[in-house]
Amino acid sequence: MTEPKLRKVNDFLWEIPREGKMRVPGRIYASAEMLPDVTRDNAHEQVANVAQLPGIVKFSLAMPDIHWGYGFPIGGVAAFDVSEGVISPGGVGYDINCGVRLLRTDLERKAIEPRIKEVVAALFRAIPSGVGSKGQLRLSAQEEKQVLTQGAHWAVRNGYGRPEDLDKIEENGQMKGADPSAVSAKAMERGRPQLGTLGSGNHFVEVGYVEEIFDQSLAAALGMFKDQVTIIVHTGSRGFGHQVCDDYIAVMLRASQKYGIELPDRQLCCAPVKSPEGQQYLAAMACAVNFAFCNRQMITHWARDAFEKAMGMSPRDINVQVVYEVAHNIAKLERHVVDGKEMELCVHRKGATRAFPPGHPDVPEQYRTIGQPVLIPGDMGRYSYVLVGTQKAMEETFGSTCHGAGRVMSRHQAIKSAKGRALHRELEDHGIFVMASSRETMAEEMPEAYKDVSQVVEAVHGAGISVKVAKLRPMGVIKG
């Protein structure tokens, strides 16, 4: 591990001074007690590498859930001038538009506790999970192209959800600029059978309840109350998005040479935003973004259905509604004020969440007085958080905050550490019933493999780039 050169800015912010070929300083949000975990895997070096890319403005940023990623750190945020800057697939990641959707119900904890095993089993049957899992739909090639351009709207138009669901999704569940002709046949082939599936890795559907409310008025505005039963859906664009990233890494390696871009790391390969390669990647990435929006909408539909059957209740009695859905692993063209000047930027959020403030036009009208909801899942054994975005986030982080707990163990380390342990039973002893597609997945995702998400949340709350609203406690989880 290299010794990080970090200068304290305040109790929750640390700066990597500009040196060598860095065009801007790096900045990492974290408390002092988190720094050993934050720097353990040298992810701070990736923050400094990103700072060397052309057209980056203000800072190369990292949130407190930072850990080592492909080129860019996970938990990284970087904004590039659209006229002079670049776009990089490594700055978006392989699981394009991996994201989180929070659902609320009218049920209270005591109603579901006696039935939690039936509910989790019903969810596990209804939502295909695991590596290479296939969905219930058999899309034609033409239908898949419609999914890629229409996103969650395709699902609702075909009976998988309600029109009001769309109002609570980032980008309204449909990113503009998607062009299926920019996507390879291989990506199309991988995506076609996977719509409506959870996948593997850290993806999950979690049934929990509101354990604690930090701000009553903000919680009420989100329709949330203490002991309310909630559902979190965390998944992304599956093999489709992975293939889009893989295809464009090859394109961008050639483009970096073509445009004479000096790379501190080949994984940061990129092209000018306005170049043909940059525009093609944006069009293909938007297709993967829309695939993921549609995927979470389909899973919401299966989850509603499974919940109603397991509880033996009507849709009206349970009343599963979307609170909000946030996107991670995405690049967006946004307008921000930099040094007093409004600029059009290409903002990369890789393992980071948009956190726009009250009054912003991109926040759903129903939430515009409180700011964008921010959803921060933890690990399956502890808790998750709901927050809202702030004006300070807009000023300091291009309207961004953290996205989760962040790993402290590699998957290999976690499997080794879990050897000989009965993780199912350990979690059940804490009142959490888990079903997973494999024991290996359970081991990879065991709670100790992650930072304590409360530390991450306290750091962004303390820094003022998000405000805590509520803490959720898991009762049942299905893992991919």
Side-chain angles (χ1 to χ4, degrees), residues 20-53:
K21 294 181 180 178
M22 291 171 68
R23 298 169 192 260
V24 295
R27 283 194 161 187
I28 299 175
Y29 287 84
S31 60
E33 63 181 333
M34 297 183 71
L35 283 183
D37 278 342
V38 163
T39 57
R40 188 194 305 263
D41 63 0
N42 287 339
H44 56 280
E45 288 184 0
Q46 294 188 311
V47 176
N49 287 343
V50 172
Q52 298 182 31
L53 293 177

Side-chain angles (χ1 to χ4, degrees), residues 200-217:
S200 60
N202 61 343
H203 296 149
F204 62 82
V205 175
E206 178 178 297
V207 180
Y209 67 94
V210 179
E211 183 184 66
E212 185 176 359
I213 287 179
F214 304 105
D215 187 307
Q216 195 63 51
S217 64

Side-chain angles (χ1 to χ4, degrees), residues 113-170:
E113 273 181 332
R115 308 291 299 275
I116 189 64
K117 289 187 179 180
E118 289 98 316
V119 170
V120 171
L123 290 168
F124 197 69
R125 284 193 300 273
I127 302 166
S129 56
V131 177
S133 53
K134 295 181 180 179
Q136 301 180 29
L137 297 185
R138 292 294 174 265
L139 292 178
S140 67
Q142 189 57 34
E143 286 172 325
E144 187 181 18
K145 288 179 182 176
Q146 291 170 0
V147 168
L148 303 185
T149 55
Q150 298 174 18
H153 291 247
W154 183 90
V156 171
R157 286 188 184 115
N158 285 276
Y160 302 103
R162 307 166 184 166
E164 62 267 29
D165 294 345
L166 303 172
D167 299 335
K168 311 284 180 53
I169 307 173
E170 195 167 318

Side-chain angles (χ1 to χ4, degrees), residues 8 28 41 51 53 83 86 90 120 134 154 163 193 208 231 250 280 319 345 371 378 385-386 400 416 443:
K8 183 175 180 178
I28 299 175
D41 63 0
L53 293 177
S83 299
V86 296
V120 171
K134 295 181 180 179
W154 183 90
I231 306 165
Q280 284 167 10
N319 193 23
L345 304 175
Y385 284 84
V386 180
S400 310
K416 195 173 172 185

